[in-house]
Amino acid sequence: MGGVIIRSAVPLFLSMVTSVIGTFVVTSVLGRHATVTLAAFAVMTAVLNPAAAAAVTGALRGLGPFVAPHRDDPVRAVPVLRDARWLTLLVGTAGALAVLAVPLLARVTGVPGEVVAELGPLPWLLALYLLVYASGGGATTVLVALGHSRQVLWSSLAGTAVMACCSLVLVPRLGLTGVGVAWLLWGTVGVVVANVCLRRAIGVRVGRGRPRPARIAELARVSVPLAATVLIKFGGLGVITFAASTTSARDAAAHAVLTTLTSLIMLASLSVAQASVPEVARAPDAAGARRANRVAALVALGGTAVGALVLLVVSDPVLALLTDDPGVRERAAGLLPLMLLASAADGAQAVQGIGLTALKKSAASMVYFAGGYGLMVVAAVPVAATWGLTGLWAALAVTNLVLVVLQGTGFHRHSARVGRAVVEA
């Protein structure tokens, strides 16, 4: 089973890496365009990233356990996919409205007028991007659930190539408008390629049937709590970032560097966790579901360990790429072991949490996250005032370790019904 999960996870990992590279290209080009442009982009992504991750990606990933049981006869999954397209249209619209509100939110929160003015038509272009992304109906998630994760890589490569090339050509001339056009084209190409691959995998056209409210609500019971969990995590990490900014400029910069490295270290765990969803969802009994989850956790920890080892060996040049301030590099290097512990624990809890989604119990994961991150949020500012950045990363590590226990216990408890559910059905 480990080999199956690894073969499925590798294309997902490479897909995530290509997306990170595309975002890096955009940020790099903007950084060379104008400081105010980069600042406006940061304001925009502060809303875009949570909206895309929660309202769209979170909802789309909830489709996996509904599709995976039809891997041997994918045509039977078509009604589910049609229901999913109605659900994603709803959540995509919510995300688009949040993005359109960015200029107003920026003015209310005191963002300088020149930064707000720099946004221009970008909110409208990115709102369209979210709608296009949502219109894909979770094609990439469905491909993974049906055992075609390699096809996801082609979608990511095509979309990222378009975004990177368009950014290099358009940003010097159009600024943030060029970014919006590039992002919209990225989403369009990615959705088109993914749906072409899905059509080949299923053998029939999915289309969009009449809405079935009861079935859409059934999908929403898994997808919406998953999206809420993502929002809780983004919100909690945002509070940690705010608390870090109250310590010192050097610590705030070091925290930003460590957060960037964390996102890279987490790629292996997230790809393995997503690859394990079909195996858990298709398990015939509790033992099979637990075995798939256990193997995924071990593979994810192994991948994290390799990434951590590489980072420790090449930490000096990596940190030099992220900051030219010796003080910030020294501070980040000192906290690197603590960051790696927090990241390893975060990866482990992610496997357990996504395992709960595979069992259609994402609401339980949401409750665990609300409790763990809620306590961390309450303690963040006092911890920062007493123990500084070291205390914040220690609090994050402890929170993630607690979540490992909560999510793991929850998975064990809910997986006990896998065999019973089959018998009762």
Side-chain angles (χ1 to χ4, degrees):
M1 182 174 292
V4 173
I5 291 177
I6 291 173
R7 285 194 295 273
S8 180
V10 168
L12 297 178
F13 174 78
L14 295 176
S15 174
M16 293 178 186
V17 170
T18 58
S19 296
V20 170
I21 292 173
T23 303
F24 179 82
V25 170
V26 171
T27 305
S28 177
V29 173
L30 283 174
R32 288 168 171 76
H33 181 73
T35 301
V36 68
T37 305
L38 185 58
F41 181 68
V43 170
M44 191 73 242
T45 54
V47 175
L48 174 67
N49 289 341
V56 182
T57 304
L60 297 180
R61 287 180 182 170
L63 308 179
F66 293 93
V67 175
H70 304 301
R71 177 181 291 185
D72 298 329
D73 188 10
V75 174
R76 296 182 62 185
V78 171
V80 179
L81 304 185
R82 289 173 177 168
D83 295 331
R85 291 190 171 183
W86 287 105
L87 176 61
T88 56
L89 179 62
L90 294 174
V91 296
T93 300
L97 291 174
V99 168
L100 288 176
V102 168
L104 176 61
L105 180 64
R107 293 189 187 94
V108 171
T109 55
V111 174
E114 62 174 344
V115 174
V116 177
E118 187 70 14
L119 290 172
L122 181 65
W124 291 94
L125 291 167
L126 293 184
L128 285 174
Y129 154 75
L130 282 179
L131 291 175
V132 168
Y133 184 23
S135 71
T140 54
T141 298
V142 174
L143 285 168
V144 174
L146 294 178
H148 297 277
S149 60
R150 289 184 182 180
Q151 306 301 319
V152 176
L153 179 58
W154 301 123
S155 170
S156 178
L157 285 173
T160 301
V162 168
M163 181 174 68
C165 292
C166 288
S167 296
L168 291 171
V169 173
L170 297 177
V171 171
R173 300 177 182 178
L174 303 176
L176 279 184
T177 300
V179 171
V181 173
W183 219 287
L184 179 57
L185 291 175
W186 170 40
T188 302
V189 171
V191 165
V192 169
V193 173
N195 277 277
V196 168
C197 293
L198 181 61
R199 169 71 182 270
R200 292 176 178 174
I202 295 179
V204 298
R205 180 175 175 272
V206 175
R208 188 185 296 274
R210 296 178 63 181
R212 302 186 299 174
R215 297 299 184 184
I216 295 172
E218 185 180 357
L219 293 175
R221 280 195 289 271
V222 175
S223 297
V224 172
L226 181 58
T229 301
V230 176
L231 274 179
I232 291 170
K233 184 170 185 177
F234 266 96
L237 294 178
V239 172
I240 291 291
T241 299
F242 171 79
S245 69
T246 65
T247 54
S248 69
R250 184 193 64 174
D251 278 5
H255 177 74
V257 169
L258 292 171
T259 300
T260 300
L261 295 177
T262 296
S263 64
L264 297 176
I265 292 294
M266 283 290 293
L267 292 180
S269 296
L270 291 175
S271 58
V272 170
Q274 291 179 45
S276 70
V277 169
E279 307 308 317
V280 174
R282 285 162 47 86
D285 52 33
R290 290 168 181 171
R291 182 169 58 254
N293 181 260
R294 183 169 57 251
V295 170
L298 291 174
V299 173
L301 285 175
T304 300
V306 171
L309 180 60
V310 171
L311 181 58
L312 288 172
V313 171
V314 298
S315 59
D316 289 342
V318 169
L319 291 174
L321 283 174
L322 295 173
T323 177
D324 56 2
D325 187 324
V328 173
R329 288 201 301 269
E330 181 182 358
R331 185 67 169 131
L335 289 172
L336 205 54
L338 191 55
M339 181 277 287
L340 292 174
L341 173 62
S343 299
D346 198 7
Q349 71 80 21
V351 172
Q352 303 302 319
I354 294 179
L356 282 167
T357 297
L359 297 176
K360 301 180 182 178
K361 297 296 181 181
S362 56
S365 181
M366 179 188 70
V367 172
Y368 302 146
F369 244 94
Y373 266 62
L375 291 174
M376 183 183 69
V377 164
V378 171
V381 174
V383 166
T386 307
W387 294 287
L389 190 60
T390 302
L392 287 174
W393 277 95
L396 190 56
V398 170
T399 300
N400 288 336
L401 289 170
V402 169
L403 282 172
V404 171
V405 176
L406 292 175
Q407 304 261 49
T409 302
F411 181 88
H412 190 273
R413 179 165 64 89
H414 288 291
S415 63
R417 290 190 54 82
V418 172
R420 298 181 201 171
V422 173
V423 173
E424 292 170 2

